[in-house]
Amino acid sequence: MDYGMIGKIEKAKRYAEERERFHFTSFSVDVEGENNQHTVTYDHGVWTCTCSFFASRGRCSHTIALEFILKGMLDEEVAEA
Ligand SMILES: [Zn+2]
């Protein structure tokens, strides 16, 4: 590996530990639930999930699990609006 890339990997390791540098804006994730697989999407603070619980409550174990995983890397102000 060339010297330039070694430096970039070292920098990447440092960045990866500084979660506040990262701001997810939109993504889609397939979550394997206990019974079925569900698709969660996030778009500028707005969550959706294909499960029936989300349809009636607007929040579910799948979206909350992702909130835990991505803590500090989501647009909190929009998410709480
Ligand atoms: Zn769900």
Side-chain angles (χ1 to χ4, degrees):
M1 200 176 330
D2 66 88
Y3 192 75
M5 185 57 77
I6 290 168
K8 292 299 180 191
I9 291 169
E10 286 305 311
K11 194 177 207 178
K13 285 178 182 170
R14 205 170 71 238
Y15 280 168
E17 290 174 358
E18 297 169 0
R19 296 167 69 88
E20 65 279 5
R21 288 181 181 278
F22 298 84
H23 309 277
F24 283 81
T25 54
S26 62
F27 54 81
S28 176
V29 187
D30 290 333
V31 182
E32 290 181 29
E34 289 180 349
N35 302 308
N36 294 299
Q37 178 172 293
H38 301 287
T39 301
V40 173
T41 62
Y42 178 87
D43 186 17
H44 295 86
V46 179
W47 292 97
T48 61
C49 181
T50 55
C51 77
S52 58
F53 191 90
F54 185 91
S56 61
R57 303 290 299 274
R59 219 169 167 216
C60 63
S61 58
H62 314 111
T63 63
I64 294 167
L66 282 160
E67 286 179 39
F68 285 136
I69 293 167
L70 300 172
K71 189 168 173 54
M73 296 191 286
L74 298 171
D75 192 341
E76 308 289 348
E77 285 183 346
V78 175
E80 289 170 7

